[in-house]
């Protein structure tokens, strides 16, 4: 009996294992417990530093723009690091450098580097404020771009806000 069905059964079970969307392939993309732990730690650290930047250093930004810039940029770095821990460095780099994600990535990282540069090297209060605002906007845009329809919704809100502001000032 094995000779009649043995080879056929093994080819059927092999075919079932190779079907896209089966249980094995569905669970292979689930992060491990260790990855989830690191994701949570990095994300919590990032949120903590962003919170500290806004609550402690934003009110005294006129006096010490460097402290806000460093604390906020460090928080943003931890938030990005959390996604590296969750998805893996290779997958996250590939995702961030994909054609549709690259403008968001370059804008966000550019604003981070610019904030540190103008606050630590140039010691410019006005440029520190400008780059910090750009970094906040880039972080919001970067985070919203992960949601389906998020960037289209953000573009709509931005254009509506811009047209409202320009109509208020008579332009």
């Amino acid at each position: 009996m094995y000779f009649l069905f043995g080879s056929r059964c093994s080819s059927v079970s092999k075919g079932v294992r190779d079907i896209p969307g089966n249980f094995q392939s569905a669970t292979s993309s689930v992060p491990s417990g260790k990855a989830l732990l690191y994701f949570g730690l990095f994300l919590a650290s990032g949120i903590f530093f962003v919170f500290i930047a806004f609550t402690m250093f934003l009110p005294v930004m006129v006096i010490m723009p460097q402290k806000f810039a460093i604390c906020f940029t460090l928080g943003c770095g931890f938030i990005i690091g959390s996604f590296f821990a969750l998805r893996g460095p290779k997958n996250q780099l590939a995702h961030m450098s994909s054609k549709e994600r690259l403008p968001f990535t370059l804008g966000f990282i550019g604003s981070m580097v610019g904030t540190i540069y103008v606050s630590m090297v140039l010691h410019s209060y006005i440029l520190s404020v400008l780059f910090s605002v750009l970094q906040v906007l880039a972080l919001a845009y970067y985070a919203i771009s992960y949601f389906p329809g998020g960037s289209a919704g953000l573009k709509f809100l931005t254009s509506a806000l811009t047209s409202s502001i320009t109509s208020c000032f008579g332009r």
Side-chain angles (χ1 to χ4, degrees):
M1 204 61 166
Y2 174 76
F3 294 109
L4 293 174
F5 298 108
S7 63
R8 187 177 288 169
C9 288
S10 67
S11 66
V12 169
S13 66
K14 181 184 180 297
V16 170
R17 275 183 273 139
D18 293 340
I19 292 174
N22 66 7
F23 183 74
Q24 185 177 6
S25 68
T27 57
S28 66
S29 64
V30 175
S32 68
K34 196 174 190 179
L36 288 172
L37 175 69
Y38 288 136
F39 170 75
L41 288 174
F42 279 123
L43 186 62
S45 299
I47 291 171
F48 172 76
F49 278 108
V50 169
F51 177 76
I52 293 297
F54 279 105
T55 57
M56 291 182 66
F57 298 126
L58 188 61
V60 293
M61 192 167 174
V62 175
I63 303 165
M64 300 176 285
Q66 297 87 0
K67 293 197 184 236
F68 175 82
I70 287 175
C71 200
F72 186 70
T73 304
L74 191 60
C76 290
F78 273 118
I79 291 171
I80 286 181
S82 70
F83 290 105
F84 276 88
L86 185 66
R87 301 180 83 184
K90 187 176 173 183
N91 290 337
Q92 184 64 18
L93 276 176
H95 178 71
M96 290 172 69
S97 61
S98 67
K99 186 178 179 180
E100 60 275 351
R101 303 271 328 140
L102 195 58
F104 302 115
T105 302
L106 292 177
F108 185 48
I109 292 174
S111 67
M112 289 172 64
V113 170
T115 302
I116 293 295
Y117 179 75
V118 298
S119 65
M120 299 302 293
V121 176
L122 297 180
H123 301 287
S124 171
Y125 165 73
I126 293 172
L127 288 177
S128 294
V129 170
L130 176 70
F131 272 90
S132 294
V133 168
L134 286 175
Q135 188 175 352
V136 169
L137 294 174
L139 175 63
Y141 201 74
Y142 186 81
I144 288 172
S145 71
Y146 271 97
F147 297 105
S151 59
L154 187 64
K155 286 178 186 175
F156 172 74
L157 288 175
T158 304
S159 66
L161 182 65
T162 304
S163 65
S164 297
I165 290 172
T166 54
S167 68
C168 286
F169 292 112
R171 289 188 181 185

